[in-house]
Amino acid sequence: MRPDNRSPKPDAPVFEGAERLQKVLAAAGVGSRRACEDLIFRRRVTVDGRVAKLGDKVDPATAVIHVDGERLQVDTRLVYVAMNKPRGVVTTMADDKGRNELAEFIGNRVEQRVYHVGRLDADSEGLLLLTNDGTLAHKLMHPSYEVLKTYLAEVVGPIPRNLSKRLLAGVELEDGPVKVDSFKVVDTLGKSAQVELSLHEGRKHIVRRLMEEVGHPVTRLVRTSIGPIRLGELRTGRLRRLTNAEVAALFNAVGD
């Protein structure tokens, strides 16, 4: 019998500071260590694209881990925060004009230094994501990933029946065409109306410019969702940490 000269498939590389995979999964909130061992045993966990096995060690700072196909963030240095930005607050950590800024609301409630994902103009309010995960932030903002953002807007009415069709077809602005992914009238309030629209555009003041172009200027604008993350019942000026499931949903939204 000829000897088998094929090289065995190498194990996952082990780095300084690496920890047992089940410990890392448990620390990320997946379940108890025993439950995490069972997930590994059932081949439901991958590390850097390789099916994990019991005994594997990983570096939480660099490992890309998926459980049942969903990306899991295990680096405890990374934080993900949702904020309900009040009207009148500029989306910056330091404003040279002396206006209200994000840093006043964050204070010491988040130990790590975080940055806003995209912007809301001073007169707009609603959901803003804050993180120190630069890679994810870039993907969420880049138009090629087409992450939907939903807004609730009060506009000058009345709203004609064909407006939805027009917005879905596309409207030409000075810096190029824009079209919404969805549009509906939520309520009519005398000479004004409340509408909801979703789009994956990220250009400056895009919702205000769009509605101005079609003859229905915005008088109040609230962002209610970014991809899978919703504003929900978060009160104005408050922050909350995203859950593990929400972070995984954000990774999924950008294809990670």
Side-chain angles (χ1 to χ4, degrees):
M1 180 180 295
R2 292 183 180 178
D4 189 349
N5 293 321
R6 292 175 299 176
S7 299
K9 187 175 182 180
D11 291 336
V14 177
F15 302 95
E16 183 180 350
E19 302 177 42
R20 287 196 176 275
L21 179 56
Q22 59 266 37
K23 179 181 177 182
V24 173
L25 294 176
V30 175
S32 67
R33 288 197 191 183
R34 179 163 295 183
C36 293
E37 288 175 354
D38 185 62
L39 290 172
I40 299 168
F41 177 76
R42 295 177 182 275
R43 301 172 62 84
R44 293 167 60 183
V45 182
T46 63
V47 178
D48 298 330
R50 179 188 62 84
V51 176
K53 66 180 188 300
L54 290 173
D56 281 352
K57 290 187 176 183
V58 300
D59 182 354
T62 59
V64 177
I65 300 175
H66 289 77
V67 178
D68 291 336
E70 288 195 348
R71 173 79 177 271
L72 181 69
Q73 182 51 259
V74 295
D75 187 350
T76 56
R77 299 172 303 175
L78 298 178
V79 295
Y80 307 86
V81 177
M83 176 184 180
N84 186 344
K85 186 190 87 66
R87 190 171 187 173
V89 174
V90 293
T91 310
T92 181
M93 294 298 179
D95 183 58
D96 56 7
K97 296 181 180 179
R99 296 171 294 182
N100 292 330
E101 58 197 35
L102 294 178
E104 297 177 20
F105 293 86
I106 297 173
N108 59 3
R109 286 180 282 181
V110 181
E111 294 180 0
Q112 295 88 338
R113 186 177 183 181
V114 294
Y115 303 90
H116 47 84
V117 179
R119 291 179 177 271
L120 277 176
D121 63 72
D123 290 331
S124 299
E125 53 198 291
L127 182 62
L128 189 66
L129 297 182
L130 306 163
T131 184
N132 56 355
D133 187 338
T135 301
L136 178 61
H138 171 75
K139 291 180 179 180
L140 289 172
M141 290 186 289
H142 200 283
S144 66
Y145 289 92
E146 299 189 347
V147 177
L148 280 181
K149 303 171 186 67
T150 300
Y151 299 84
L152 194 62
E154 289 184 7
V155 301
V156 175
I159 303 297
R161 291 185 177 182
N162 68 339
L163 182 60
S164 177
K165 184 177 181 180
R166 182 181 177 187
L167 293 173
L168 289 167
V171 175
E172 189 69 34
L173 300 180
E174 59 183 12
D175 55 351
V178 59
K179 61 180 179 179
V180 303
D181 293 83
S182 67
F183 176 86
K184 68 177 181 180
V185 177
V186 177
D187 198 5
T188 54
L189 311 164
K191 294 183 179 180
S192 65
Q194 192 175 76
V195 300
E196 181 184 84
L197 62 161
S198 297
L199 67 169
H200 56 264
E201 283 275 5
R203 281 178 277 170
K204 189 175 181 179
H205 304 310
I206 190 66
V207 174
R208 293 183 182 275
R209 292 194 291 128
L210 173 62
M211 296 308 295
E212 177 81 30
E213 181 65 27
V214 297
H216 302 280
V218 172
T219 57
R220 184 185 180 192
L221 185 64
V222 181
R223 185 158 63 196
T224 57
S225 71
I226 299 174
I229 310 303
R230 298 185 178 279
L231 183 63
E233 300 300 320
L234 187 61
R235 294 170 59 185
T236 301
R238 297 295 181 87
L239 293 81
R240 71 171 180 85
R241 296 289 184 108
L242 298 188
T243 65
N244 290 334
E246 287 176 318
V247 175
L250 282 176
F251 279 119
N252 187 58
V254 297
D256 273 358

